[in-house]
Amino acid sequence: MSQPPPLCTFLFIIVLVVATFYTLHHPDATPPPPLLFSRNAFTLRRLFLSSASNATISSYLRALTRHPHLAGTKPSLDTLNYVTTHFQSLGLDTHLAEYEALLSYPTLTSVAARFSNYTTVEFDLNDVPGDDVVRPYHAYSPSGSAQGNVVFVNHGEERDYHALELIGVSVRDCVVLARKGESLGRGGIVKIAETKGALGVLIYAENDGGGLGGIERGTVMRGIGDPVSPGWPGVVGGEKLSLKDDRVTKRFPKIPSLPLSLHNAETILVSLGGARAPVEWRNSGRVGSGQRVGPGETVVNMTLQGELKMKKVHNVVVTIRGSEEPDRYVVLGNHRDAWTYGAVDPNSGTSALLDIGRRFSLLLKSGWRPRRTILLCSWDAEEFGMIGSTEWVEDNVLNLAASAVAYLNVDCAVQGSGFFAGATPQLDGLLLDALKLVQDPDDAVLTVEETFKSQNNIIQRLSRVDSDFSGFLHHAGIPSIDMYYGADYPVYHTAFDSYDWMIRNADPLFHRHVTMAGIWGLLGIILADEPVLPFNYISYAEQLHAHRDALSKLLQGKASVDPLSMAIQEFSLVAKEAADEAKKLKEQAYNKNDVVAAAKRRELNDRMMLAERGFLDSQGIKGKEWFKHLVYGPAAEPESKLSFFPGIADAIATNSSEGMIEHEIWRVARATQRASKALKGGFT
């Protein structure tokens, strides 16, 4: 989109002047209620959307991606300064929230192979020449060497090792080669290989950086946040655990791992002898029908030397103070650090956040003040394990629990085509309503909502742990949304994630960036301005019913789900009561001087805000106790069959007793009852 025509801006200012004059001379008049589609709100939101600028967002992204900016390095301070200066230049209240964290960097990496004909190859482990970009590595992988015969383990999942066992193949004392799949992250691949007795792990991605020879960097640390301050904020000068402490060592793998390019991986794959790959692996991806898995005569020697360093982590926090409820907060967040240049991950999101700040400053200059306070947050060190946002959540967990309305996350704003989103269910309706207001970037006659419903139409749930919403939802119980354009992209975490790749492939004219900034900012405005929060817990109840049905089908009578069924039924009734109460309050004529009505709205809003916290359990998920949410959160077992109810999923995956499964069902039932009580209000 281009800048709005001068006439539109002039007419808007005239409307504002007239409205202000009328209000000053008729202070007791009742203006139209500022609800989602009221005239005043509509005008404000149209101005927000019309003030977009493709060229401006493009300039932000170009500036952010001139140099690689891995967290803890000097170039990362340049991006910090750029973001901070930008917000300050707009006149926005900007401060830094700084922490200390243990980060991991490589000093030496090597992989060599000896083949059956006694030839050897020393692989090139860089995807681009020079020292500007950090060499491909796995953060927090232990230093050391591993030498052994190679075994191909497909995606490195438990079922893959079971398939190898059926054909008589063991990986004990071998180096395993895995191709990254969709369901198991690199940390999970290494963890399972370690339990099987492997000496080391090599991981490659089949997309090959879009044919460019890219190599995917990443972390293999278990859990999120600073590993030497687990469960408390890593404030400067605060308590830090010893590297020998069990709470620290359990976060790191025991065997080394490294990423490989597709080309190097295929050089090893074609050399393997031994048994033929299991039938289900053949002709999938780039694995052919004749692929063998080893162990044959191919031997790999891999070495990683790394260093762990305490580094300062810098979060940027912008505060736009609310006019009527300044103690209620809507938080928008994106991380700033990148493995390399970060044009997609994460600075497509950063450039959108900067543009939202610019557009909000225009609204502020026009006289707008949000009802509730808005925070714009730029997180640091996300790539190492959501460290910046996690430390901030731990530092502010009580205040967040008491006053955070919602968290809106955008990591990779633009990866390609098509809108995708995940959310907690009470925000589904709000998200779809916002999409109706935004023009689709690839079809000017349609809205994003129309194309979303025709192409995708699935709002995912946020059990995954792959971006900064995790601390807010899984630890603090804050209703959350995560959004992005494009299902995937081939240069993920490689040296080719650059501005040049973005303008050649994902978004040449920055239409999708403009769209994402529009959706993201609108959600923030609506959540900050609506007198009655646009939460729909009936949607949440329906989702819980669906989860219960899927669980019951999986259990096949092995354990009773009756306690959960009754708890969900109660939650459904309370959700209907809250919806009816909200409807009545919205229908009342709005008058900001009506203290009684304001108190009723505030009380209902607080109940809707706090209901999500009810799904938290102080004991957390067994094996991952930091994660407290019993409906949405990461299962500790990679082979869990459910993407919800993580504690129940783990109990089923580990073939636990009927009593243990039912205990986990009761835990979720009690959490649902807590959510019902919070939503209903009062006391028993």
Side-chain angles (χ1 to χ4, degrees):
M1 295 182 181
S2 60
Q3 293 280 10
L7 180 59
C8 291
T9 303
F10 175 75
L11 289 174
F12 177 78
I13 293 172
I14 291 296
V15 170
L16 280 178
V17 170
V18 172
T20 302
F21 178 84
Y22 183 82
T23 300
L24 288 173
H25 288 79
H26 302 274
D28 296 323
T30 301
L35 301 179
L36 184 56
F37 295 110
S38 73
R39 186 171 299 173
N40 287 352
F42 182 79
T43 303
L44 175 74
R45 288 153 199 178
R46 293 315 304 174
L47 177 64
F48 172 80
L49 291 174
S50 67
S51 60
S53 167
N54 308 52
T56 301
I57 297 182
S58 172
S59 69
Y60 295 154
L61 187 63
R62 181 185 288 275
L64 288 163
T65 58
R66 290 190 187 278
H67 306 285
H69 43 284
L70 182 63
T73 64
K74 187 176 183 301
S76 72
L77 298 178
D78 294 335
T79 58
L80 167 67
N81 182 63
Y82 182 80
V83 168
T84 304
T85 301
H86 170 79
F87 287 129
Q88 290 173 336
S89 70
L90 296 171
L92 300 175
D93 179 2
T94 307
H95 75 273
L96 299 183
E98 297 183 323
Y99 303 93
E100 289 179 328
L102 186 73
L103 304 185
S104 165
Y105 305 94
T107 57
L108 173 68
T109 59
S110 69
V111 176
R114 187 182 73 243
F115 304 110
S116 60
N117 61 2
Y118 302 108
T119 60
T120 60
V121 172
E122 181 83 27
F123 292 114
D124 182 359
L125 301 185
N126 293 314
D127 43 7
V128 291
D131 298 325
D132 287 346
V133 178
V134 68
R135 69 188 71 193
Y137 78 114
H138 289 158
Y140 302 106
S141 176
S143 294
S145 297
Q147 179 172 305
N149 297 98
V150 180
V151 177
F152 175 55
V153 295
N154 198 31
H155 298 304
E157 301 175 17
E158 284 284 358
R159 61 183 176 183
D160 295 322
Y161 286 97
H162 180 65
L164 289 174
E165 290 172 7
L166 292 178
I167 59 175
V169 175
S170 170
V171 302
R172 183 165 296 280
D173 297 328
C174 295
V175 173
V176 302
L177 176 63
R179 55 173 172 164
K180 191 155 176 273
E182 295 181 359
S183 62
L184 189 62
R186 66 188 73 81
I189 294 172
V190 176
K191 181 180 180 181
I192 294 175
E194 185 181 305
T195 65
K196 303 300 180 183
L199 299 177
V201 183
L202 299 171
I203 302 175
Y204 70 97
E206 286 192 321
N207 58 31
D208 191 31
L212 300 171
I215 304 175
E216 181 185 311
R217 298 145 180 83
T219 183
V220 291
M221 181 176 69
R222 295 159 191 171
I224 65 175
D226 174 31
V228 294
S229 60
W232 63 87
V235 296
V236 177
E239 180 188 8
K240 307 292 181 185
L241 298 179
S242 163
L243 293 181
K244 297 180 180 179
D245 191 295
D246 289 344
R247 289 169 289 179
V248 177
T249 58
K250 73 177 184 179
R251 301 280 296 274
F252 305 148
K254 301 294 188 296
I255 60 175
S257 65
L258 282 170
L260 279 185
S261 68
L262 176 63
H263 173 75
N264 290 342
E266 289 186 331
T267 299
I268 296 173
L269 284 169
V270 298
S271 75
L272 295 181
R276 289 182 67 192
V279 173
E280 59 268 30
W281 301 5
R282 301 177 201 165
N283 299 316
S284 66
R286 297 175 67 108
V287 174
S289 59
Q291 181 63 54
R292 296 187 178 273
V293 298
E297 296 183 41
T298 299
V299 175
V300 159
N301 188 318
M302 57 181 290
T303 298
L304 166 66
Q305 292 297 325
E307 54 186 359
L308 297 170
K309 293 183 175 182
M310 293 301 302
K311 292 284 188 176
K312 266 196 176 182
V313 171
H314 312 270
N315 296 328
V316 182
V317 180
V318 172
T319 303
I320 301 174
R321 187 68 56 190
S323 60
E324 296 184 40
E325 297 183 73
D327 59 341
R328 293 293 178 263
Y329 297 85
V330 177
V331 187
L332 285 66
N334 156 268
H335 77 93
R336 187 180 64 252
D337 64 297
W339 287 113
T340 63
Y341 297 95
V344 174
D345 184 9
N347 298 135
S348 59
T350 311
S351 59
L353 186 69
L354 296 181
D355 198 57
I356 289 172
R358 180 187 65 82
R359 294 199 234 175
F360 280 179
S361 72
L362 292 176
L363 297 183
L364 290 168
K365 291 172 183 176
S366 298
W368 169 72
R369 290 293 181 275
R371 170 185 296 272
R372 302 177 186 92
T373 297
I374 296 175
L375 300 182
L376 306 179
C377 300
S378 173
W379 311 118
D380 199 2
E382 187 269 357
E383 298 294 6
F384 287 90
M386 281 65 81
I387 288 177
S389 61
T390 298
E391 300 313 302
W392 192 83
V393 167
E394 290 177 338
D395 203 14
N396 297 279
V397 66
L398 289 181
N399 289 344
L400 286 169
S403 57
V405 171
Y407 176 67
L408 308 176
N409 188 71
V410 171
D411 191 325
C412 306
V414 180
Q415 303 178 153
S417 64
F419 178 80
F420 294 83
T424 45
Q426 76 275 58
L427 297 176
D428 287 358
L430 165 65
L431 177 59
L432 293 174
D433 283 342
L435 298 185
K436 293 174 183 176
L437 300 176
V438 182
Q439 177 183 301
D440 186 87
D442 301 306
D443 192 332
V445 301
L446 298 175
T447 66
V448 177
E449 187 260 353
E450 289 171 319
T451 54
F452 176 69
K453 283 196 168 182
S454 66
Q455 297 175 4
N456 182 6
N457 201 29
I458 297 174
I459 299 176
Q460 304 158 10
R461 297 302 167 220
L462 297 176
S463 287
R464 52 192 168 85
V465 184
D466 59 3
S467 193
D468 291 300
F469 62 81
S470 182
F472 287 87
L473 175 60
H474 302 148
H475 189 71
I478 311 301
S480 298
I481 295 177
D482 180 56
M483 303 171 288
Y484 49 100
Y485 250 86
D488 202 356
Y489 68 108
V491 295
Y492 174 71
H493 286 189
T494 75
F496 302 105
D497 182 6
S498 64
Y499 181 85
D500 184 64
W501 187 88
M502 176 65 75
I503 61 174
R504 291 176 182 271
N505 297 276
D507 199 14
L509 300 178
F510 284 81
H511 292 317
R512 293 167 184 162
H513 281 77
V514 166
T515 298
M516 181 56 74
I519 297 167
W520 196 8
L522 274 181
L523 288 169
I525 291 173
I526 294 167
L527 284 165
D529 277 351
E530 289 296 296
V532 177
L533 289 175
F535 286 6
N536 180 3
Y537 277 98
I538 293 176
S539 176
Y540 214 129
E542 292 170 348
Q543 186 69 86
L544 288 173
H545 277 294
H547 292 340
R548 188 274 320 272
D549 292 344
L551 171 63
S552 182
K553 183 177 181 181
L554 179 64
L555 285 171
Q556 296 182 328
K558 184 178 179 181
S560 173
V561 298
D562 288 347
L564 182 57
S565 297
M566 290 188 291
I568 294 172
Q569 186 61 39
E570 177 190 5
F571 184 85
S572 299
L573 294 174
V574 175
K576 177 65 166 58
E577 292 172 0
D580 291 342
E581 186 178 350
K583 185 173 184 290
K584 290 179 181 178
L585 287 172
K586 290 176 182 178
E587 290 172 347
Q588 292 179 7
Y590 177 77
N591 185 338
K592 69 178 182 179
N593 296 321
D594 187 339
V595 177
V596 174
K600 289 181 179 179
R601 288 194 300 269
R602 171 81 169 197
E603 195 262 345
L604 173 61
N605 286 341
D606 282 354
R607 287 189 273 124
M608 292 194 292
M609 180 182 73
L610 294 173
E612 188 75 49
R613 319 301 193 250
F615 294 115
L616 303 179
D617 187 283
S618 61
Q619 295 181 344
I621 300 167
K622 186 178 180 181
K624 287 191 172 184
E625 286 76 12
W626 188 87
F627 298 91
K628 308 294 185 185
H629 206 292
L630 296 190
V631 177
Y632 300 116
E637 294 298 321
E639 298 301 306
S640 294
K641 298 293 192 297
L642 300 173
S643 59
F644 45 85
F645 301 156
I648 302 174
D650 284 340
I652 296 171
T654 56
N655 295 313
S656 297
S657 66
E658 177 183 345
M660 183 57 69
I661 294 173
E662 289 189 345
H663 172 65
E664 291 295 337
I665 291 172
W666 271 108
R667 290 182 71 204
V668 179
R670 287 191 289 271
T672 306
Q673 290 169 342
R674 288 194 296 272
S676 295
K677 288 182 173 66
L679 187 56
K680 188 177 183 65
F683 299 92
T684 55

